[in-house]
Amino acid sequence: MLDLEQARRDTPGCLDKVFLDSAGSSLPPTPVLDAVFAHLRREADVGGYVAAAERADDLAAVKSSLGRLIGASADGIALVDSATTAWNDFFHAVPLRAGDRVLISEVEYASNAIAVLQRARSVGATVDVIPSDPAGQIDVAALETLLDDRVRLVSLVHVPTNGGLVNPVREVTELAHSHGALVLLDACQSVGQIALDVGELGVDALSATGRKWLRAPRGTGFLYVRPELAATLEPAALDLHSAEWTAADAYRLATDASRFEFWECDVAARLGLGVAADYFLDLGVDEVEAAVAAGAEHLRSGLAAIPGVTVRDLGARRCGIVSFTVDGFDPGDVRKQLAARNVTVTASLRGSTLLDMSARGLDAVVRASPHYFCSPDDLDRFLAEVRTLAN
C-alpha cells in the first residue's frame, strides 16, 4: 500500500486544493524540485558546462531509470523535450514513399494526426483510420482487414487524452508485425500511471512525456526505440551529439537511440526527470496503478449518481482519466466554476481528438485525473462541488 500521508507531504501543492489534472501537467514532488533547483544553483556558481560535467554519471543514469520504468535497456532511450518531439522524431525517421500507408486510430491525438497528414501529403502516402469497437477501443478485427504489405506504420494511442480507456497493444503489435508494419505507441497518458513493458507489448517505439503522470518537470520527455531498429533509422535532423563529423563530406551516426537526441538540453530538467522516474519506481508501479485506478473508479461511480452528469469514458479497461459532461454547462465553464472552488480539472476539446469526439457528437468534455496523492476527502469534495453545480 502507498503511504498517502508521505506522498502528500512530498506534494505541498495538493494540500490547499483538490488537484485533478495529472493528465495535463501534474504536481512535481519535492525531491524533483530539489534536484532541479540544486542544479540551477550549481550552474549559477560554476557555469552550465562545468555543472553538467559534474553530473555526467547522473545524467546517464536517467536513461537507466526510464529503461527500468518501461522494461528497456538504456541504449534504447533518447531524452528529448516532449512527447511530441519524441513521436515526431521517430515518425519522420521511418521511410515513407508514394503508395505507402499509415494507420491511425479514432482516438489519435491531434499533434500525431497532423504530422501524419502533412507527411503523407508531401510524399503521396495514404492515411487510413482503424475503427473503434463497440467498447470504444481499437477494433482489432477491423485492423486485420486493413493491414497489407503497403502499411509502413501503425500509430497506436495507449490512453487517449479525452477519456479513460486503455487500448490493447500486444494484439495490435502482433498483427502489424505479421504484415511487416512498425508500431509506434503514444504512451503520453500511460507512462506514470500504468505498468508497461515494451518487451511484452512488442512495440517498435514509444513516446512519452515527463510532465503528466510521471510528475517530472515540463520540457522533458523520452523516446524508446527498439535498439536493433534504431540502428537502421536516420533521424530527419542531426547535430554533433547525434552524429560525428568524420570527414569533409561524411558523418557517422551514434550507434544507439542517442542518434535521436540533440546536444543542447535543459540539464536541470533532465535530472529532475530521472528523480521523478526513481520516485515512481520506489513507490512501486503496481501500487501506483492500483491507487490511480481506484480513485478514478470512485469518481466515475460518484459522478454517475449525480442527476444531470454523464460519464463519457469508454473502454473495456479503464485507467486514471475520468471524462464527463454536466447538462446545461459548457465543459470550459465547469472547469472555471470548479477552479473558483479551488478544484483543478481541465476541459478536453474536440480538436484534440477530432475523430472520436466528432463521432460521439461531443464538442468538449470535463477531464478529471486523480493521482495517488489525492486523498479520499479530495475526491469526495470534488464530487460534492460537481453535485452543487449540477443542481
Side-chain angles (χ1 to χ4, degrees):
M1 295 291 291
L2 288 173
D3 185 339
L4 176 61
E5 292 307 312
Q6 182 61 55
R8 290 176 67 79
R9 284 194 295 271
D10 286 344
T11 314
C14 76
L15 300 179
D16 63 347
K17 68 179 73 67
V18 177
F19 186 85
L20 301 172
D21 193 23
S22 287
S25 187
S26 194
L27 303 175
T30 300
V32 171
L33 299 180
D34 290 344
V36 172
F37 294 158
H39 191 75
L40 291 175
R41 286 192 291 268
R42 186 59 178 162
E43 287 186 342
D45 288 339
V46 300
Y49 286 6
V50 173
E54 292 173 345
R55 303 299 298 276
D57 290 344
D58 294 324
L59 283 167
V62 175
K63 293 185 181 183
S64 297
S65 295
L66 293 171
R68 291 197 301 274
L69 187 70
I70 63 170
S73 59
D75 63 352
I77 302 290
L79 301 179
V80 295
D81 60 11
S82 70
T84 297
T85 296
W87 196 96
N88 274 280
D89 283 353
F90 179 81
F91 173 66
H92 284 279
V94 174
L96 196 64
R97 298 177 295 274
D100 288 344
R101 299 172 62 211
V102 177
L103 303 185
I104 64 174
S105 69
E106 288 189 345
V107 296
E108 195 68 62
Y109 186 58
S111 292
N112 305 348
I114 290 168
V116 171
L117 292 170
Q118 179 192 39
R119 190 166 178 223
R121 180 179 297 170
S122 69
V123 303
T126 301
V127 181
D128 294 306
V129 179
I130 310 164
S132 300
D133 68 14
Q137 59 206 22
I138 197 165
D139 190 328
V140 177
L143 168 63
E144 188 166 16
T145 66
L146 286 170
L147 285 166
D148 60 27
D149 60 6
R150 293 186 298 121
V151 176
R152 296 289 169 260
L153 180 73
V154 176
S155 173
L156 178 60
V157 176
H158 201 185
V159 173
T161 191
N162 67 332
L165 74 85
V166 181
N167 267 317
V169 178
R170 183 69 195 185
E171 299 92 325
V172 171
T173 302
E174 289 178 345
L175 280 174
H177 287 173
S178 70
H179 289 269
L182 300 174
V183 176
L184 169 54
L185 183 67
D186 179 343
C188 192
Q189 291 289 6
S190 56
V191 167
Q193 68 146 325
I194 294 175
L196 57 87
D197 185 297
V198 292
E200 293 178 2
L201 297 177
V203 297
D204 300 290
L206 174 151
S207 60
T209 185
R211 77 172 191 271
K212 297 181 183 291
W213 300 94
L214 199 51
R215 305 182 62 197
R218 291 198 71 174
T220 60
F222 66 95
L223 170 67
Y224 159 77
V225 184
R226 187 163 46 82
E228 57 271 28
L229 174 63
T232 71
L233 299 176
E234 180 162 336
L238 300 170
D239 75 351
L240 78 172
H241 174 83
S242 47
E244 179 186 0
W245 193 12
T246 57
D249 60 351
Y251 59 88
R252 180 170 54 244
L253 287 164
T255 58
D256 59 12
S258 63
R259 64 178 57 191
F260 288 93
E261 297 176 341
F262 283 116
W263 181 81
E264 182 57 39
C265 66
D266 186 337
V267 175
R270 287 191 176 178
L271 291 169
L273 173 62
V275 172
D278 289 337
Y279 187 93
F280 177 72
L281 290 166
D282 288 344
L283 288 174
V285 177
D286 293 337
E287 287 77 8
V288 169
E289 180 174 356
V292 171
E297 284 304 320
H298 181 72
L299 293 192
R300 290 188 188 99
S301 60
L303 289 168
I306 301 175
V309 174
T310 303
V311 176
R312 300 292 182 175
D313 292 325
L314 304 175
R317 176 189 174 194
R318 297 186 296 190
C319 63
I321 296 178
V322 179
S323 61
F324 66 98
T325 54
V326 180
D327 290 351
F329 289 88
D330 177 82
D333 290 336
V334 173
R335 179 190 63 79
K336 292 176 183 177
Q337 295 205 38
L338 289 175
R341 295 166 168 84
N342 222 18
V343 177
T344 303
V345 297
T346 195
S348 185
L349 306 181
R350 187 171 71 97
S352 293
T353 42
L354 181 68
L355 301 178
D356 174 65
M357 297 279 271
S358 297
R360 292 198 277 159
L362 296 170
D363 289 324
V365 294
V366 186
R367 187 182 70 188
S369 45
H371 219 325
Y372 58 82
F373 56 74
C374 295
S375 68
D377 287 345
D378 286 343
L379 304 183
D380 288 340
R381 181 181 159 199
F382 161 75
L383 292 171
E385 296 292 0
V386 174
R387 186 176 297 108
T388 298
L389 182 63
N391 295 328

